[in-house]
Every structure is written in structure tokens, then in C-alpha cells.
Amino acid sequence: MFKHIILSGCLQSLFCLQLFAQQPAETPPNIILILADDMGYGQLGCYGQQIVRTPNIDTLAARGIRFTGYYAGCSVCAPSREALMTGMHTGHTAIRGNFRLAVDDGNLPMAANHPTLAEYLKSQGYRTALFGKWGVGDSLTGPGSRGFDESLCYMDQMKAHNYYPPYLWKDDKRLPLEANEGGRHGVYSHSLFVEKTLEFIRKSRPGQPFFLYLPYTIPHGDYMLPPDTPYIKQPWPEALKTYATMVSLLDRDVGRILSLLKEKGLAENTLILFTSDNGANAGPAKLFRANGPFRGAKLSLYEGGIREPFIACWPARIKAGRVTRHVTAAWDLLPTLCQIAGVRPSVPVDGISFLPALLGKGQQPQHPFLYWELYDYNYNWQKPGNRLPRNWLQSRAVRMGKWKGIQNNVYKDKQAAIALYDLEKDPGEQHDAAAEHPDIISRIKTIFARSSTPDPPYFPYRAVHN
């Protein structure tokens, strides 16, 4: 039995190849992938939010399908985005944690030998664009080098904390923003991304599908807004008033996108996907229950750090008002969207297409397990007196059927105990059942041993990279 549970990424990819025989012959849809930043599972009304209003995103869910078992690629920005873009989980990605480079603008690049989702779709005639945060490369490995025809973005994820930046990057070239020079708050970056989004849709042409990747930076901190908030009278800390307003602003702009698609006659055959890169920070998680009923937050591999909202709306193909418990993850997006576009991944991937679950037709293959690992970054590594390395393996986790295993503080103790949770009975991960199920723990240890490519560049960091 156990040999059926431990499958390599190559073997898992065979499921994807088998599914391509089911590829529908209809005109390929436009695809819009909206990736919120630091928005937890419980931050939307359709996922139980009671305080912050999200009527447009809730409408999107009502018109399509809502997933309750979707997971982000990781619990922090960069590795989560590479998993989404390449179809690989964080045991196989080049980026396995945030990592600050010495260069002024840029982050570690994604693996060069794994084509991105944009590259595959572009090969099928899709017009491609990205507006928001890149965070997985620099000006030499920016969106233009990885399949995007157009882009306006932050290249560096740390610079993306400032919503009034002195410059952005347009088509991999620096674009000065004069209105923000000298620390002025002249133009709000999110507003620029939304205007470029609407302009791109307006310029769309019949007969050429488009892929629009929108990794918007809100509601990630720093919590900065133009001086208006619908929550101004609430007795909350100022930062959380701003956070709530950012969520409402994102919802408003989703509404603007939906309205324009309807106006252009594109709504029926446009697949809109909405999700987030990782869970919310502890503050929003506590006040708004932004991570729903789950334990943990951003930077944690507990459910609150990686279980995310996932909504898909495609009126021409997806029946409205559906909810699915299918367990899936960010690395499944690439094979799913490739199948829709009619292109096979040219290299093995860890993802499995969830198109049958999306359409409610055909047999849906299941993952034998999902795997994550998370490296922590030491931002004080160069300071006097520091004794810790530049980064280290902090946590790793497995979802296997109803079971969730998580091992924390791996750097300090490679034999650290693995906690085990029955997510059907204990979705809040409160009762460690490891002592009661040594057989499951043994399986998880084997998955840990086989699911990670050893010694990836920079994880852990080695002095040779100085």
C-alpha cells in the first residue's frame, strides 16, 4: 500500500498527461489570475468573514466554484509564487524561503529549467501581462524573460512594502514616478496596477486569448492608503483600519474588472481565478479571524499559514454556486491551465490538473500527498554578535488524506518531533495524535526524506555564494 503513497513528481505528472485527452475543443478562454498578498482563508464574506465587506468577490464565488481545500505554495511570498508559476512544490523549487540579495532591486530568480505558466500560455498564442509584484527575480530575470509580453511591477518584494514608491518596473525597465519623488505621496501603486489592468482588457482583440496575472500587493503591509477609509469610526488600531480598507479596495477593483469584462462581451469565456499567496499576519488574523478557524498565520505551515481561499468563475463552463472539498495546491494551477489551453508541460511537474473538479465532469485524480518546506531568513546575519546562519530550514509539512504532519524547528533538531493532526476531526490542529498513530508518522518521515531535492542553491545558504 505504501508504495502507492510515495510518488515522485515525475510519476504524479503522468496524471496530467492522461488528462489531456479530455481537453475540450471550444475556443480557449481568457484567463485572469488574481493573487492577493497576505489575505487569509477567512477574510472574504463567502468564507465566513463577518466584519470586512467583500461583495464583489463574493459575487464571483456565487457565479462559479469555491474551493475549501486549496493550499498556497508556501506560507511566505517568494517560494509560494514560484510554486504557482512553475508547478513545483517547495521541495523542488529553487526558492524555498524569502532571501534578501545584496543588489538594490531584485530577489532570487526561479529555476531556469522549469518553464513558467506564462511561457506555456504564450506558446499557445495567449497575450500575457503581469501587473503587481514580481518578487522572483531581478531586471535580468524579470517578467519579460519568463513569458510576459507586458508588465508593470515591483521587482523587489521588500520595495513593495512602500505603496508610494519613487519608481516601478515597466517591461523590465525602471519607470520613475515623479509624483512620489522625495517621499511624496502622489500616486498609489495599486491604483496604477488596476488602471493598467483595465487598459489591457480594453485593448484585447477578438480571436486572441489573454492571460492576465495580477499579483496585487494589497492587503500586505506597510499599511498605507490614500486618506479615505470606510472604517474610520471603528475602534480598531489604525493599521488594522487600513488593512480592512485595503481588502475593501481590492474587492472594489475586482468589481471594476467584472464590469469591464461584461461591457466588452468577454465575461462568458473568461476564467477568473482568485486566491492569495499565504495567510494573513497575526494582527488581522486575531481581530478579523482573517485565517478562518485555522491555527497559525503567515510564516507558519499550520493551516492558517497555507490554507487559502480559491475561487474560479467561468460562466461558459463552470456551473454557478458550487463548492468543492477537493484538496489541491498552487502547483496544480500550471497543469490545470495548460490543459485548458491545450499545451502539455515540457518537463515533469509536481502538480495535477484539477480541471475535472473545476468543471464537475470526469474522474479527478487525487494527490497521494502535498509537501511543503519553509526556510527562515536571518535579516541580522551580518550584524556584530550574530551567531545564526543566514537562513535555515524552519519547518516542513505534509497533507496526506485527512492527516496533516508538521515538523517545526528542524534547524535546531533534525529529529524534532512530528506533530500529527486529523483535519477531519481537528481542523484547528489542536490535538496532536502522533502517539496514537506511529504508522502514519513513519509514512510522513519517508515522505520528508524523499520529497526534497538536497542542497538547493541558497537553501541553506553557503559561503560560496558571497
Side-chain angles (χ1 to χ4, degrees):
M1 175 181 177
F2 186 48
K3 65 181 180 180
H4 298 297
I5 293 177
I6 308 299
L7 294 178
S8 69
C10 293
L11 188 54
Q12 288 190 30
S13 70
L14 292 178
F15 286 129
C16 302
L17 299 182
Q18 292 168 0
L19 285 173
F20 276 91
Q22 303 171 14
Q23 168 61 30
E26 288 84 352
T27 303
N30 302 310
I31 301 170
I32 300 177
L33 172 54
I34 304 170
L35 185 71
D37 203 332
D38 288 8
M39 176 183 282
Y41 180 95
Q43 192 57 74
L44 303 174
C46 55
Y47 283 87
Q49 177 58 217
Q50 299 294 315
I51 301 174
V52 182
R53 298 178 295 277
T54 56
N56 293 297
I57 300 173
D58 297 345
T59 296
L60 192 68
R63 293 176 181 173
I65 184 171
R66 182 168 61 86
F67 284 67
T68 61
Y70 173 86
Y71 288 89
C74 195
S75 60
V76 73
C77 176
S80 184
R81 290 159 195 262
E82 183 180 4
L84 184 152
M85 276 283 110
T86 65
M88 308 301 292
H89 64 58
T90 46
H92 296 145
T93 53
I95 307 169
R96 305 192 186 185
N98 285 352
F99 192 98
R100 194 167 192 176
L101 290 177
V103 298
D104 181 56
D105 233 283
N107 304 116
L108 289 176
M110 296 183 288
N113 61 339
H114 283 284
T116 68
L117 175 57
E119 289 172 298
Y120 284 122
L121 295 181
K122 185 175 181 178
S123 74
Q124 292 300 101
Y126 274 74
R127 179 169 157 249
T128 60
L130 176 150
F131 305 125
K133 180 169 76 175
W134 183 233
V136 284
D138 57 21
S139 60
L140 298 178
T141 54
S145 73
R146 302 311 306 263
F148 288 97
D149 297 315
E150 299 179 33
S151 63
L152 179 68
C153 65
Y154 292 94
M155 199 69 71
D156 179 80
Q157 62 187 17
M158 297 297 292
K159 298 290 179 66
H161 294 183
N162 177 12
Y163 285 85
Y164 296 94
Y167 63 90
L168 290 169
W169 291 83
K170 184 179 187 297
D171 301 332
D172 296 354
K173 295 181 180 179
R174 192 184 293 236
L175 175 69
L177 301 178
E178 295 182 4
N180 291 342
E181 288 182 354
R184 289 181 293 168
H185 287 192
V187 58
Y188 192 61
S189 61
H190 174 76
S191 299
L192 293 177
F193 297 144
V194 174
E195 290 307 317
K196 286 295 293 183
T197 298
L198 299 177
E199 177 186 321
F200 181 90
I201 295 172
R202 289 190 188 102
K203 290 181 178 178
S204 62
R205 301 189 301 271
Q208 183 181 27
F210 62 76
F211 171 52
L212 191 48
Y213 176 40
L214 304 176
Y216 289 154
T217 50
I218 57 177
H220 191 294
D222 296 340
Y223 299 134
M224 306 167 69
L225 272 178
D228 58 339
T229 168
Y231 305 100
I232 191 71
K233 295 182 180 180
Q234 295 293 338
W236 308 334
E238 288 301 317
L240 294 184
K241 291 181 186 179
T242 303
Y243 173 90
T245 303
M246 285 175 150
V247 172
S248 292
L249 179 61
L250 177 58
D251 180 79
R252 183 204 69 179
D253 292 329
V254 169
R256 295 173 69 190
I257 292 169
L258 295 176
S259 294
L260 181 58
L261 290 171
K262 183 177 180 180
E263 176 187 322
K264 289 271 296 180
L266 300 173
E268 280 295 305
N269 201 34
T270 296
L271 170 59
I272 304 177
L273 306 169
F274 183 95
T275 188
S276 177
D277 64 342
N278 49 248
N281 280 310
K286 183 177 181 180
L287 179 60
F288 304 124
R289 297 198 76 209
N291 293 329
F294 303 122
R295 177 180 179 179
K298 179 181 180 179
L299 299 173
S300 161
L301 292 184
Y302 290 109
E303 295 289 282
I306 53 177
R307 184 89 75 97
E308 297 303 317
F310 187 85
I311 296 165
C313 179
W314 184 8
R317 300 300 307 279
I318 296 175
K319 184 178 178 180
R322 292 174 53 220
V323 179
T324 178
R325 297 177 61 192
H326 175 61
V327 176
T328 185
W331 50 92
D332 294 333
L333 278 167
L334 183 145
T336 303
L337 297 181
C338 282
Q339 185 181 358
I340 289 171
V343 58
R344 294 186 178 187
S346 58
V347 298
V349 296
D350 294 312
I352 296 175
S353 171
F354 56 81
L355 186 59
L358 205 63
L359 302 182
K361 297 179 180 179
Q363 184 176 2
Q364 175 61 61
Q366 305 290 323
H367 278 284
F369 64 87
L370 300 176
Y371 175 82
W372 298 265
E373 60 186 54
L374 171 66
Y375 278 76
D376 206 354
Y377 188 78
N378 175 16
Y379 287 91
N380 298 315
W381 71 281
Q382 286 183 308
K383 292 185 178 180
N386 171 66
R387 296 183 179 179
L388 293 172
R390 190 166 178 179
N391 66 357
W392 58 84
L393 179 59
Q394 174 63 29
S395 305
R396 49 191 177 181
V398 164
R399 169 79 193 260
M400 184 175 65
K402 69 177 183 177
W403 296 109
K404 169 79 173 293
I406 181 167
Q407 184 182 39
N408 293 319
N409 301 313
V410 181
Y411 167 71
K412 294 180 181 179
D413 180 6
K414 291 183 180 180
Q415 302 303 318
I418 299 172
L420 182 67
Y421 303 100
D422 180 342
L423 295 181
E424 290 183 359
K425 297 178 180 178
D426 181 25
E429 296 172 294
Q430 297 300 312
H431 173 67
D432 183 358
E436 303 158 33
H437 298 279
D439 57 325
I440 302 298
I441 293 297
S442 179
R443 293 181 185 181
I444 289 173
K445 286 180 178 179
T446 304
I447 293 172
F448 281 168
R450 298 184 181 182
S451 296
S452 181
T453 304
D455 297 324
Y458 294 95
F459 298 96
Y461 177 77
R462 296 177 295 280
V464 69
H465 291 119
N466 277 328

